[in-house]
Amino acid sequence: GAVVSQHPSWVICKSGTSVKIECRSLDFQATTMFWYRQFPKQSLMLMATSNEGSKATYEQGVEKDKFLINHASLTLSTLTVTSAHPEDSSFYICSAREAESTEAFFGQGTRLTVV
Amino acid sequence: LAKTTQPISMDSYEGQEVNITCSHNNIATNDYITWYQQFPSQGPRFIIQGYKTKVTNEVASLFIPADRKSSTLSLPRVSLSDTAVYYCLVGDKGIFGNEKLTFGTGTRLTIIP
């Protein structure tokens, strides 16, 4: 299957700082990318959907000014957690899909710990 | 978006065939059915996708009845490494390919030695 690379795999940051997570599609053009967060023992919760070159569509309850998503190219999307707080600690996962494909592929996830 | 219902958990012994059924009563005409596998602290991994009847690949089979209101993921001769959470998703890529992917609760499969 197609490869989606997410970086970093884990990050620890201080409260109040910002963290950027990258999601890259390595062998296909990702016209749509999805960002999820997942708490222990829970399912993936969709945060936002982004299309290349346009603004992301955020799910209800997700603060767009806190979770900045940029999808500037067909192979790269970034999620920036601004002014991170301990309650933002979670597992963040991205997914990417090609325009004419019904299949979506996931990155390996990023474990964010805010101390 | 079609809502899916799966068993919360299942146990099975090594070497057995495991069938996980997902209900999706309000599936739309253009919707596909996709199954993912997730291990702890990893992103979901695509297993199989189908639209109707039966689909088989090197790791699993997917059975979809004619009314498409349910689907069954079949894992042949499971091993301990198949212990994971399995998610059933129903949806279409959408006109612009941007229809969102929403996860249900998933089924936590535990393989017993």
Side-chain angles (χ1 to χ4, degrees), chain A residues 32 34 36 38 42-44 46 49 51 59 91 93 97 99-104 106-108 111, chain B residues 32 34 36 38 41-44 46 49 87 92-93 96-105 108:
Chain A
T32 304
F34 306 91
Y36 298 84
Q38 185 176 35
Q42 294 187 22
S43 184
L44 286 76
L46 181 65
T49 303
N51 291 305
E59 294 299 298
F91 192 54
I93 307 169
R97 185 166 62 195
E100 296 304 314
S101 175
T102 56
E103 296 179 18
F106 288 79
Q108 67 269 42
R111 173 76 57 194
Chain B
Y32 284 78
T34 311
Y36 290 90
Q38 187 184 28
S41 297
Q42 294 187 27
F46 175 90
Q49 183 180 78
Y87 294 97
D92 184 22
K93 63 181 175 65
F96 304 106
N98 60 349
E99 182 169 319
K100 55 188 178 183
L101 291 173
T102 304
F103 282 74
T105 57
R108 186 172 298 276

Side-chain angles (χ1 to χ4, degrees), chain B residues 3 10 14 18 20 26 32 34 38 41 57 59 61 79-80 82 97 110-111:
Chain B
K3 178 178 166 61
M10 292 179 66
E14 271 191 296
V18 171
I20 306 174
N26 58 340
Y32 284 78
T34 311
Q38 187 184 28
S41 297
N57 61 21
V59 297
S61 294
S79 63
L80 294 177
D82 293 316
T110 302
I111 306 303

Side-chain angles (χ1 to χ4, degrees), chain B residues 7-65:
Chain B
I8 296 295
S9 64
M10 292 179 66
D11 294 338
S12 180
Y13 289 98
E14 271 191 296
Q16 299 289 318
E17 177 184 82
V18 171
N19 296 309
I20 306 174
T21 297
C22 178
S23 297
H24 28 81
N25 290 316
N26 58 340
I27 187 170
T29 302
N30 294 330
D31 285 345
Y32 284 78
I33 301 157
T34 311
W35 286 80
Y36 290 90
Q37 174 193 55
Q38 187 184 28
F39 297 113
S41 297
Q42 294 187 27
R45 183 176 75 103
F46 175 90
I47 301 175
I48 198 166
Q49 183 180 78
Y51 182 80
K52 62 179 178 181
T53 63
K54 176 184 174 182
V55 180
T56 298
N57 61 21
E58 61 275 9
V59 297
S61 294
L62 178 60
F63 298 92
I64 306 168

Side-chain angles (χ1 to χ4, degrees), chain A residues 3-110:
Chain A
V3 178
V4 174
S5 176
Q6 197 171 330
H7 178 80
S9 298
W10 59 270
V11 58
I12 301 173
C13 71
K14 290 186 176 180
S15 188
T17 62
S18 295
V19 173
K20 180 184 284 188
I21 301 169
E22 292 187 349
C23 180
R24 293 181 184 274
S25 57
L26 299 186
D27 51 2
F28 67 101
Q29 293 187 326
T31 49
T32 304
M33 285 189 170
F34 306 91
W35 285 95
Y36 298 84
R37 65 189 297 182
Q38 185 176 35
F39 294 107
K41 303 290 186 183
Q42 294 187 22
S43 184
L44 286 76
M45 185 191 78
L46 181 65
M47 300 175 68
T49 303
S50 73
N51 291 305
E52 182 265 338
S54 60
K55 290 184 179 180
T57 301
Y58 289 81
E59 294 299 298
Q60 190 172 10
V62 178
E63 299 176 58
K64 62 180 181 181
D65 294 330
K66 180 169 183 63
F67 298 99
L68 302 178
I69 292 172
N70 184 288
H71 189 172
S73 79
L74 286 172
T75 59
L76 174 65
S77 176
T78 59
L79 168 67
T80 301
V81 183
T82 62
S83 186
H85 292 284
E87 56 266 29
D88 298 323
S89 297
S90 188
F91 192 54
Y92 292 85
I93 307 169
C94 72
S95 176
R97 185 166 62 195
E98 217 169 356
E100 296 304 314
S101 175
T102 56
E103 296 179 18
F105 299 93
F106 288 79
Q108 67 269 42
T110 297

Side-chain angles (χ1 to χ4, degrees), chain B residues 62-101:
Chain B
L62 178 60
F63 298 92
I64 306 168
D67 65 6
R68 304 203 323 126
K69 292 184 183 297
S70 66
S71 59
T72 299
L73 173 72
S74 180
L75 305 172
R77 297 183 58 80
V78 293
S79 63
L80 294 177
S81 62
D82 293 316
T83 294
V85 178
Y86 292 81
Y87 294 97
C88 159
L89 276 72
V90 173
D92 184 22
K93 63 181 175 65
I95 297 173
F96 304 106
N98 60 349
E99 182 169 319
K100 55 188 178 183
L101 291 173

